[in-house]
Structure formats: C-alpha cells, structure tokens
Amino acid sequence: MESNATSLRLSAATFGYFHHEPPDIALREVGNIGFTEVELTAGHPHIDFRRPVAQVAAEVAEWAQTAGVSITTLNAAELNLISPLADVREISLRHYRWCLELAGQLRVDFLVLIPGRRSLFAPMPDAEANALFDEQLGALAATADRHDVTIAVETAPFGFMARVAEIRDALARQASDRLAITVDAANVLFAGCDPSQQLLEAGDLMSVAHFSDTWRERLAHTRIGTAEVDLAAYVRTLHEMKFTGPVVYELADGQHPTEGLREDAAQLRALGFALSP
C-alpha cells in the first residue's frame, strides 16, 4: 500500500460494545488499542435520548477526553423513519433530532442515518415508502442545518435504499446541502453490489465510509479477512477518490470486540491506516 494511505481517517464504532461494556469503557478500550477517532452509536443501552442533550454531551465529552479519542460521527440504532406506525415514525424523528442536537453540541460533523426498515414479507410500496422518507428527511435536514451537522444516509440492508443510486435519488428530491451518503461495504455486498463501485456512484456525496466483513448470502459485520469483502479494493477506491471523511471499522458480531479490534490492528496497518503502537 502506498504511503499516502495514512491520510485516511480511521475510526472505530462503539456499536459492537452494546451489551458488553458501558460507553465510557468502550471509548477507553478503543483508545487503548490505538484508535484516535470514534463513531459513537447513540442508542440504548449506551445513550438514553430521553435525558437532556446538554447533560449527555457533557458526559460524552468527558469520556472522550479521558479515553484520548475524538468523536467524529454519531450513529443511532433501532429506528425506523418509514414505519407504518405513526408513533414509531414520530419517536424515530425525535431521536434523530436529539442526535443532531447532540452532534452539534459535541461539534461532530456527521450523523449517520439509516433510511428505514421495510418488511420482507409485506413490504410497503415504493411510492409510499419514498414519500414518508422524503417528509422525514426534509424535517431532519432543517434541524441539521440549525446545528451545523451533515446527515450521511447509509446504504442499509433492511429492504429500503440498499444501494447508492436509491439514496442519490432521495437526496436529489431535497433542497439541502446538509445531506450526504455513507457507503457500508458489508451492507452493499450483501445487497449484491460491488462496494468499490458503490463508492464511485456516491461520488461527491460520499461523506462517511463504513467497513467490516460479510458474506454475500449471509449478512454480518464481522472481522476483516474472514468473509468476502475485498477491503483492499475498497481502500484503493477511497484513495482514488481522494476521500477525506471518516472511515469507520464497524465490528459488531455479537462477540466482545476488543480482542478482535486489537488483533485486526496489524491488518489495518498493512492497509495503510495509521494506528499508534
């Protein structure tokens, strides 16, 4: 790998620490491994959005300072902006608005957003799902602008907007410069797409890159080099694009992630990412 590979901004996600460690310990663990940037998953059981944003922001800032890391992206979990149930849509909207305010107080540039979940067996029609998403995203874009945060809509394996082209079309329907794309290498491979090609399709809207390993026929966010994602090609494409946004290793396979992250550090260095010794 060429020496300029160290220009990629490597982050570790805290998502895999859910149900294993509290959030302050999760940040400390990834900091001890050598990551200096972190994607904080802002959902239960780590983060309670029913609490005042200012209190949570102060706690997170203290945890990050103690761990020696910076929060570069926020993510959320278990939300559905296009649920057939209005109450679920409303709580998802409130949670994302809360996360945008939290990102603003922490001076985090990006909030990663899953467009929604659609039933595999009785899927909501495209026109209805897109109309709901357009309404929700428009409301969130206005909130993002107030807090100086960019929403990076993620390619998601939940039956709705699994490919970059679908997200680009949705963003084109909005009149906002606060919207961008997160390409998740594992998610798009599972959707039958080439991760590197999806990066190129995202083009100038590409703002956050997620990676982990998966199988084409079985979705996972498992350790790199254990399944079918061509991570070296994904990284080469990011360099070809002169990508400067966060690149997030999202290891979440049900196991305690510290050992896997530590052992994978050697492969990450071989790919050109800079971690401390």
Side-chain angles (χ1 to χ4, degrees):
M1 182 64 63
E2 298 177 3
S3 61
N4 68 355
T6 56
S7 64
L8 290 175
R9 298 171 50 192
L10 181 62
S11 301
T14 61
F15 187 32
Y17 282 94
F18 274 17
H19 313 295
H20 291 292
E21 301 286 359
D24 56 330
I25 301 301
L27 292 174
R28 194 177 309 169
E29 293 275 282
V30 297
N32 287 340
I33 293 166
F35 292 91
T36 59
E37 296 191 357
V38 175
E39 177 175 281
L40 180 70
T41 308
H44 289 279
H46 276 185
I47 304 295
D48 185 353
F49 87 101
R50 296 168 298 182
R51 297 179 56 209
V53 175
Q55 290 182 12
V56 175
E59 288 180 351
V60 171
E62 183 178 355
W63 298 338
Q65 183 177 24
T66 299
V69 300
S70 59
I71 309 297
T72 54
T73 50
L74 289 185
N75 205 334
E78 303 304 328
L79 303 180
N80 188 4
L81 288 168
I82 63 164
S83 171
L85 298 175
D87 288 349
V88 174
R89 295 198 302 272
E90 176 58 28
I91 198 169
S92 298
L93 189 66
R94 285 195 287 119
H95 191 165
Y96 274 127
R97 281 177 163 153
W98 187 94
C99 287
L100 286 165
E101 185 176 351
L102 177 63
Q105 292 200 20
L106 291 171
R107 298 186 178 180
V108 170
D109 291 332
F110 300 104
L111 173 70
V112 176
L113 179 146
I114 294 293
R117 300 167 182 266
R118 189 159 54 171
S119 171
L120 177 65
F121 302 107
M124 180 183 292
D126 287 346
E128 184 178 349
N130 283 321
L132 283 174
F133 184 63
D134 289 352
E135 179 182 359
Q136 301 278 63
L137 188 60
L140 290 172
T143 304
D145 192 51
R146 288 197 299 273
H147 295 293
D148 196 23
V149 178
T150 294
I151 296 172
V153 182
E154 182 177 358
T155 52
F158 304 124
F160 184 61
M161 295 192 182
R163 298 168 176 82
V164 163
E166 297 163 319
I167 298 176
R168 285 196 71 105
D169 288 346
L171 301 195
R173 296 193 293 268
Q174 300 286 337
S176 174
D177 60 0
R178 288 292 181 185
L179 301 174
I181 296 175
T182 297
V183 174
D184 185 298
N187 291 350
V188 295
L189 185 71
F190 180 71
C193 302
D194 179 282
S196 296
Q197 184 60 39
Q198 291 290 285
L199 291 174
L200 295 173
E201 288 189 28
D204 58 350
L205 289 172
M206 180 69 195
S207 288
V208 180
H210 278 189
F211 72 91
S212 54
D213 219 336
T214 192
W215 294 266
R216 288 177 173 83
E217 303 298 329
R218 176 163 65 90
L219 180 63
H221 277 33
T222 193
R223 292 179 57 184
I224 56 175
T226 62
E228 297 179 86
V229 172
D230 187 345
L231 182 57
Y234 190 73
V235 170
R236 282 196 302 272
T237 304
L238 289 170
H239 282 302
E240 291 167 5
M241 297 174 67
K242 295 180 170 47
F243 183 67
T244 59
V247 183
V248 182
Y249 185 16
E250 193 180 25
L251 176 59
D253 61 0
Q255 305 299 311
H256 193 295
T258 295
E259 182 178 355
L261 289 172
R262 184 178 290 113
E263 291 180 359
D264 289 349
Q267 290 189 65
L268 294 170
R269 291 190 184 95
L271 286 164
F273 291 109
L275 285 85
S276 62

